[in-house]
Amino acid sequence: MRDVLKELERRRDEARAGGGAARIDAQHKRGKLTARERIDIFLDENSFEEFDMYVEHRSTDFGMEKSKVPGDGVVTGWGTVNGRTVFVFAKDFTVFGGSLSEAHAEKVVKIQEMALRNRAPIIGIYDAGGARIQEGVAALGGYAEIFQRNVLASGVIPQISVIMGPCAGGDVYSPAMTDFIFMVRDTSYMFVTGPDVVKTVTNETVTSEELGGAKVHTTKSSIADGAYDNDVETLLQMRRLIDLLPSSNTAEIPEIECFQTVSEHDLSLDRLVPDNANKPYDIKELILKTIDEGDFFEIQESFARNIVTGFGRVEGRTVGFVANQPMVLAGVLDSDASRKAARFVRFCDCFNIPIVTFVDVPGFLPGTAQEYGGLIKHGAKLLFAYAEATVPKVTVITRKAYGGAYDVMASKHLRGDVNYAWPSAQIAVMGAKGAVEIIYRKDIGDAEKIAAHTKAYEDRFLSPFVAAERGFIDEVIMPHSTRRRIARALRMLRNKDLTNPWKKHDNIPL
Amino acid sequence: MFKKILIANRGEIACRVIKTARKMGIATVAVYSDADRDAMHVEMADEAVHIGPAPAAQSYLLADKIIEACKATGAEAVHPGYGFLSERASFCESLEKQGIIFIGPKPKAIEAMGDKIESKKFANAAKVNTVPGYLGVIEDADHAEKIADEIGYPVMIKASAGGGGKGMRIAWDKSEVRDGFDRARSEAKNSFGDDRVFIEKFVVEPRHIEIQVLADGHGNAVYLGERECSIQRRNQKVVEEAPSPFLDEATRRAMGEQAVALAKAVDYQSAGTVEFIVDKNKNFYFLEMNTRLQVEHPVTELITGVDLVEQMIRIAAGEKLSFGQKDVKLNGWAVESRLYAEDPYRNFLPSIGRLTRYQPPAEGPIGDAVIRNDTGVTEGSEISMFYDPMVAKLCTWAPTRLEAIDAMSDALDSFVVDGIEHNIPFLSALMQHPRWREGRLSTGFIAEEFPDGFAPIKPDESQKGVLAAIATAVELLRRDRLDRLAGRLAPHSGAIKPDWVVKIDDDYVEVSLRDGMVSIPFEADLSINGGKVVTVASDWRPGEPVWHGTVGRQSVTAQLRPDPKGLRIDWKGMSVTTKTMLPRTAELEKLMPIKLPPDTSKMLLCPMPGLVVSISAKEGQEVKAGETLAVVEAMKMENVLRAERDLTIAKINCKPGDSLAVDAVIMEFA
């Protein structure tokens, strides 16, 4: 009996050694951790149970039969993050460069299916060289099997991808179909085709970092939702994100004890909106002062910064925040901002996370660049997302809510549950200057008349009360009471029950 | 007594004056510029009058606007505060003509003392000790050089109409006179509209000690002891105290009597301050008389119990001083720290922005000490580029000097300011400085003790232990709360992990939970680096910015700012980022590469938000170390940016008149 136990220990040790000490050292020298080390940090201590650690590939081409390593380049299993179940797979760069074989894919698929069946989040950690060329179509088939599971799980359980090394070719599409992608600065990159192929095909010379580094994907392409300085920081942040997310689309929102009262007035908010309507202010201050303890997990912080999206808690329960950012492009809605916010709203709606929207939007961004780029379609995405969302929706208009952008930003008409406005709100078709020049075109030459018309327009429309008179605004609130109002509204909406008509799925303008 | 007065000022001093007026039952009128529409002084006053656009020259400095405001509101008198119109004789005269009383000295006294040359003549006549110098008008740089040679170096070149540190230059030898003269003159012209300068001997190792006087219109005058203001940075006072740790009773009396003699000589009728420099042998020389309420007046109020603003108002209303010299008793010790909106880590460059958090310590008695905070801002206020960057004057009083300093240290530790850069870390560091605590001061203190500017104090081993203990206590509470997170797989075992590693900047401290409850209030025994066990106790709750508690026998007030990189802890001038990790995580964290910030050595970055005044170099030009590259103006101060080494200009990214953000690249070097 003791011998078989020893054999198990031996085989476990062999599997856990991955690609061996030399490769592990090399991984460390690159500033990266190994798959198992990453899992150690991400999961609760001693909570990881590994599956399929003895799996080996079955390839016999190109001499592959001579080279087998248990685990086959991916570590899979489950564990807990602060006591809540999470499934994990982590590519092991020290074994065949983490490349994907048929057997490797089967391991991932198994975990994906377990996660879906057991309704718990799944995290994929990427650090791999793509398909194992030696396996040919078997590897490609493996990818597609993974993609299919990603799609089936989408909207049922949270799927998060963390890119901690190379991620290229077929490997990129599974992360692309998950809910969030995070990257590590300087040590990770993602692209469909690498610099060598780019050089051959287009004659462009580009480095991996320039082509698909964390900076590119967090600021330009919007592929990644965030980036951190190193592996440890990234994984600890992923724990923080998991703490905020429900385990599935039928699970309760995680709740923690809240130590911060909601009843205290924050008088500094009464001074947040400057007198001058053209002066910006930082909407993040309002978010930080609305949520518990100012603890905000921002999504896509560096992309389309004219809109802010992210998670916080109110009275200990997760809330998704969407807010126009007057500091950047005056908070205007453009294609990028619309797409960014739309995707975030849909994520929240999938997982029953209430949405709080702060509105200060001068409208949609005009210009050929935007129109040629399909602003109509991209703007429609956000409109669509808000309109179809059935989760609790609380909206606060802090200043401008002009034109179509007013409609889009979780207005009453899109089934906003509770719509507040600050006294500084201006809900109108457009700003005074533009409006007066249209209404009183004949007086344009007469500065005095125009000034009088402008004043009249401002007095009549640049306030929350015209909208409030129609019931489009439920209540005009003091800025200093915003946290209390939102907390109360969310409490009231906790049992909200709203369903859309049955359909196979909608046809959002992609 | 007046029924209504107008305060021709803004910020903390306007609020200060309003407080006393209110106490005396006098109605108040505030004036405000566009930038101050929502300012605290406007809210505090019974009435407020708008007087123009944000720049002071178009609002607070316009005598006519103030007079109009008086007429419109029926204010009988004007308190000018300090700065702005407070020492402008012509303003008093205009007020007099309109039958409005100026709460301050008569125009003649202001005129006599406002001009540094005139004031010295008066001082000589009143037998007040003066510094050797040239009192005539200096014609040009050649003349300046000749005079400086006669007096002997070092010499100080100063604006005749000046105040504070503006328009002042020191020349250590002949070669510096010409440049100093030109600069002093141009600054004098820009700041005061008067380009006259004078030259005098520069006293080495001087202390700045000033005497507060009060004189009424009936020939009575008293001195209220002294204030020492030797802690200055570039001639701007930073920390003041009363009394001075340096003076003996005889010197105090001699200085006080000379100050009173001078006040009488100019028929002074108000509160005023006679500034002296005192050398290491307690020789004192008259510097100037400030014919207004001083910024640092609260320390005198704290040790004498006299409300100087009240006295000014009473004197202006024609009342007699109600007490004599023998009634003036100095009681205990008071210290004042000036909180400035400036970045101590970037050579104290001005910082502007919104005070997203502003939570001063509670005023009033605390133990044997008293805390007073004179401020003109509130949470959410805007620190604008238009005015003085002083945010608040934090004062502490205690029976003895060291107690007052320790009370200041604690008060600073609990003073929460976010949204702008500020000098609290520097002030905290000062309070720990042995030379300050011993009272061995000179006006060169900051330049000598912080020659390379200011960097956060590095914690020593025992301080690291305290910081690690706080970080662990915070982390344990966080973990404990997450152990009660909804949706856990199984009820949690209640077994909080006992062993932690706290990374403090680049060091690692091992902390173990030995005994105690992880709950609120927190009380547990922690062992630090396997050694001494300390009890950590605090009623801190997650989300609160100030952690107050005890670590071992030490009482600690620290500020916590969580961010994704870890928990920042500020305490006693230290500012560290801590990361509290499980041992396994810490072990792996040590493998992480150190990331260096981007190389900016080949760029000239704009050190603060400001306006480009001039660019002195051209693209392709070779520049020697020390040569001027550009001048940027912010908060009315011109900042000369010089080449740190010999270099060649590759590219210039802006032009004069451009408004730049902090860290904007002004030019790139080859």
Side-chain angles (χ1 to χ4, degrees), chain B residues 171-192:
Chain B
W172 292 92
D173 57 45
K174 191 168 183 170
S175 72
E176 292 179 350
V177 173
R178 189 168 288 272
D179 183 54
F181 176 77
D182 289 341
R183 291 199 163 281
R185 202 154 67 159
S186 86
E187 274 192 38
K189 183 149 200 241
N190 291 337
S191 299
F192 313 110

Side-chain angles (χ1 to χ4, degrees), chain B residues 315-479:
Chain B
I315 291 166
E319 290 187 16
K320 269 188 192 172
L321 271 180
S322 61
F323 55 90
Q325 189 62 53
K326 64 174 184 347
D327 304 315
V328 177
K329 298 273 187 304
L330 306 188
N331 169 33
W333 217 283
V335 178
E336 173 182 279
S337 297
R338 297 192 191 188
L339 257 68
Y340 285 112
E342 59 185 19
D343 187 346
Y345 308 126
R346 283 170 178 259
N347 208 12
F348 298 90
L349 288 162
S351 169
I352 54 173
R354 179 178 149 84
L355 290 170
T356 56
R357 276 209 283 196
Y358 176 80
Q359 294 160 17
E363 289 188 275
I366 172 166
D368 285 343
V370 174
I371 292 176
R372 166 173 171 176
N373 186 44
D374 283 24
T375 190
V377 297
T378 179
E379 198 160 78
S381 290
E382 189 88 19
I383 304 294
S384 78
M385 58 185 287
F386 297 107
Y387 312 111
D388 185 272
M390 197 172 72
V391 178
K393 301 181 322 203
L394 180 65
C395 301
T396 55
W397 176 95
T400 65
R401 185 168 187 270
L402 277 183
E403 286 169 295
I405 290 172
D406 286 340
M408 177 61 75
S409 176
D410 286 346
L412 287 167
D413 278 342
S414 61
F415 204 133
V416 183
V417 179
D418 278 333
I420 54 160
E421 301 303 326
H422 54 78
N423 66 340
I424 290 179
F426 177 64
L427 294 168
S428 293
L430 272 178
M431 292 306 136
Q432 318 306 322
H433 200 289
R435 202 179 132 190
W436 152 251
R437 295 178 72 90
E438 288 159 26
R440 289 187 290 114
L441 310 178
S442 87
T443 53
F445 180 92
I446 289 177
E448 288 155 25
E449 299 300 326
F450 301 91
D452 305 318
F454 176 67
I457 297 184
K458 293 258 179 273
D460 62 25
E461 282 310 307
S462 112
Q463 287 165 332
K464 270 183 210 158
V466 172
L467 293 164
I470 296 172
T472 308
V474 168
E475 180 67 11
L476 287 171
L477 284 176
R478 195 181 78 86
R479 293 277 176 162

Side-chain angles (χ1 to χ4, degrees), chain A residues 45 83 229 257 271 285 289, chain B residues 38 356 484 489 497 595:
Chain A
E45 222 174 14
D229 272 347
E257 195 178 344
R271 295 165 184 266
E285 184 181 337
K289 287 179 172 176
Chain B
D38 296 323
T356 56
R484 284 175 279 117
L489 199 54
K497 298 273 181 285
K595 299 217 164 159

Side-chain angles (χ1 to χ4, degrees), chain A residues 21 34 96 171 191 228 231 254 259 314 333 353 429 471 493:
Chain A
T34 67
F96 303 121
D171 263 357
F191 34 66
Y228 304 99
D231 283 15
F259 291 108
V314 176
L333 281 179
I353 298 171
V429 172
L493 291 165

